[in-house]
Amino acid sequence: MTKEEILTQYLIENQARFYRMACSVLKNPNDAMDAVQTAVCRALERQDSLRNAGAVRSWFYRILINVCNDTLRQRAKLIPLSEDLELCHEDPEPSDDSLARQVDALPPEIGIIIKLRFYEELTLKEIGQITGLNLNTVKSRLYTGLKKLRIAMEGAEF
């Protein structure tokens, strides 16, 4: 199989995972769909920069996370026209102290590592490649996040 065929097959087979990841970062279904579409377009345009076809997973997730971060930066620059606008009507925040809510409450640089590790089942090495962080920083943030989650969940009543 050529690199193009491997990339195309990977994108088709994992589109739901990409959408879920983008949704967990952006908290808006429309922005998530736009981010996935933009990331797929960028990946197809830049497929020549994929040196190793076996690394397509971490290569694409890096593109997707960068697109999500760009969207968050753009969103921060926007001023809402009305205070009653909500980001996501379809996916309201849970009213209980669920694990997902606790993960979302973590600082973004820690939350993204937790999501990539446990939601997307990426290795620590792949997370380092995606985020541009060295392996020790990834480990440190992962364990810090897990510790914060444990403390938060112990304090939550079920």
Side-chain angles (χ1 to χ4, degrees), residues 113 124 134-146:
I113 290 174
L124 296 178
N134 70 43
L135 186 60
N136 289 331
T137 303
V138 171
K139 287 179 184 178
S140 173
R141 289 185 181 175
L142 176 66
Y143 297 124
T144 298
L146 291 174

Side-chain angles (χ1 to χ4, degrees), residues 39-58:
V40 167
C41 289
R42 284 187 189 171
L44 292 172
E45 290 169 356
R46 299 174 186 169
Q47 62 187 335
D48 293 338
S49 70
L50 177 61
R51 295 183 193 112
N52 177 2
V56 69
R57 184 165 107 165
S58 59

Side-chain angles (χ1 to χ4, degrees), residues 67-157:
V67 169
C68 289
N69 287 336
D70 291 345
T71 301
L72 291 172
R73 277 190 290 276
Q74 287 298 95
R75 189 186 288 167
K77 293 179 185 178
L78 298 177
I79 300 171
L81 298 176
S82 171
E83 290 183 25
D84 59 351
L85 290 177
E86 294 181 26
L87 283 178
C88 187
H89 298 286
E90 298 170 19
D91 190 17
E93 285 194 19
S95 59
D96 62 349
D97 289 317
S98 68
L99 180 60
R101 186 171 178 176
Q102 295 295 334
V103 171
D104 288 343
L106 291 170
E109 66 275 3
I110 293 174
I112 194 69
I113 290 174
I114 297 283
K115 290 173 185 176
L116 289 170
R117 178 68 186 107
F118 295 106
Y119 294 4
E120 302 304 319
E121 301 174 354
L122 297 173
T123 66
L124 296 178
K125 183 178 177 184
E126 289 173 321
I127 294 169
Q129 293 169 345
I130 291 166
T131 60
L133 300 171
N134 70 43
L135 186 60
N136 289 331
T137 303
V138 171
K139 287 179 184 178
S140 173
R141 289 185 181 175
L142 176 66
Y143 297 124
T144 298
L146 291 174
K147 183 177 179 182
K148 288 182 179 202
L149 285 174
R150 182 174 36 90
I151 291 168
M153 295 305 286
E154 286 174 355
E157 294 181 25

